[in-house]
Amino acid sequence: RGAAGRPGRPPSPRGVAEMSRLALDLTEGITEFSSRIALKMMFAQFGEVAACWVPPLENRGKERAFVKFHRPEAAQAALDACNGGQIFLDGVRINAEWRLGPQKTQDSRDFDAKGSNLLSSRDLMRERAIEGQRERERERSRRRSRSRRSRSRRRGDRRRSRSRSRSQSSSSSSSRSRKRRKKKEKKEEKDKRQAEKKAAAAAAATAPAAVGSAKRARSPGVISVGSSN
C-alpha cells in the first residue's frame, strides 16, 4: 500500500506533493450517522474516488475523515464545492481542506474505494436503518397523498350530489308550478263555460214573458155594450 499503510516512516516529499493534490481532509460534517458508502457516492460526482475513510464512532471528532481522488482536477472541484457550501451529507454541510500528508488514523489504512472494506457490518446496518426510515417516510407520504385524493374525491362527489339534488328539486318545483297553472287554466275555462250557460238559460227564460207582454199591448180592449129595452 501507500505511505499511509506504513506508519512510522516519514512521508517522502513526492508523496506529500501527490497527496496534497489528490486528497481532502473533511474538517466538518461527519456525524455518527455518516458512512463510507454515502461519502464515496457523494464525492464520486466530481470524479473517480481512489480511497475514502471515516473514523469509527468512538474516534469521530478526534480524527478526520478523508477522501482521495485519482485526478487532481476532481479533488479541486470537490474542494471548491465544499468551500462553496454545496456539499451536504445526511443534511449536514461538509467542509474540507487539502490533506497535506498521511496522518495517523485508528487503523492506519488507506481504504480502497473499490474494495470490500468500503462497508463494515455497522455501516451496512446503519444504511439499512436509514433506508428503512426513508421508505417509511415515503410510505407515509404516499398514504397522506392518497388520503388527500380520497377526501378531494369525496368533496367532489358531495358537490355533484348537491348539484343534482338542487337540479332535481328545481325540476320538480317547475313541474309542480306547470301543473298548478294548467289546473288553474282548466278551472277558469270551466267557470267561463258555466257562466255562459247560465246567461243563455236566463235569456231563454225571459224571452216568452217579453213576447206575451208585447202581444197584450197590441190587442185592443173589448167594449161591452148592453141592450136597452
Side-chain angles (χ1 to χ4, degrees), residues 32-37 56-57 60 109 111 115-130:
E32 60 180 349
F33 302 106
S34 303
S35 67
R36 285 193 296 272
I37 184 64
L57 287 175
R60 296 187 187 183
R109 287 183 293 171
F111 282 90
S116 61
N117 55 13
L118 185 62
L119 276 178
S120 66
S121 59
R122 182 170 53 200
D123 291 332
L124 185 59
M125 292 177 63
R126 186 182 297 113
E127 286 296 318
R128 289 178 177 175
I130 293 173

Side-chain angles (χ1 to χ4, degrees), residues 20-134:
S20 66
R21 291 184 291 110
L22 295 175
L24 302 177
D25 270 336
L26 308 183
T27 58
E28 292 181 2
I30 300 301
T31 68
E32 60 180 349
F33 302 106
S34 303
S35 67
R36 285 193 296 272
I37 184 64
L39 191 67
K40 183 258 181 182
M41 292 175 63
M42 182 180 64
F43 279 101
Q45 61 182 309
F46 302 102
E48 186 177 356
V49 177
C52 64
W53 185 79
V54 176
L57 287 175
E58 60 270 16
N59 285 0
R60 296 187 187 183
K62 302 176 184 177
E63 299 178 3
R64 292 180 175 180
F66 73 86
V67 179
K68 183 179 178 182
F69 293 88
H70 280 293
R71 297 166 54 227
E73 53 269 29
Q76 183 66 58
L79 179 63
D80 293 342
C82 289
N83 291 338
Q86 302 174 14
I87 302 301
F88 290 83
L89 180 63
D90 297 325
V92 181
R93 177 179 172 178
I94 298 293
N95 290 328
E97 63 183 24
W98 287 118
R99 184 175 175 85
L100 300 179
Q103 300 175 11
K104 184 179 179 180
T105 59
Q106 195 262 351
D107 50 14
S108 300
R109 287 183 293 171
D110 191 14
F111 282 90
D112 184 358
K114 296 181 180 178
S116 61
N117 55 13
L118 185 62
L119 276 178
S120 66
S121 59
R122 182 170 53 200
D123 291 332
L124 185 59
M125 292 177 63
R126 186 182 297 113
E127 286 296 318
R128 289 178 177 175
I130 293 173
E131 182 60 30
Q133 182 178 358
R134 289 173 180 168

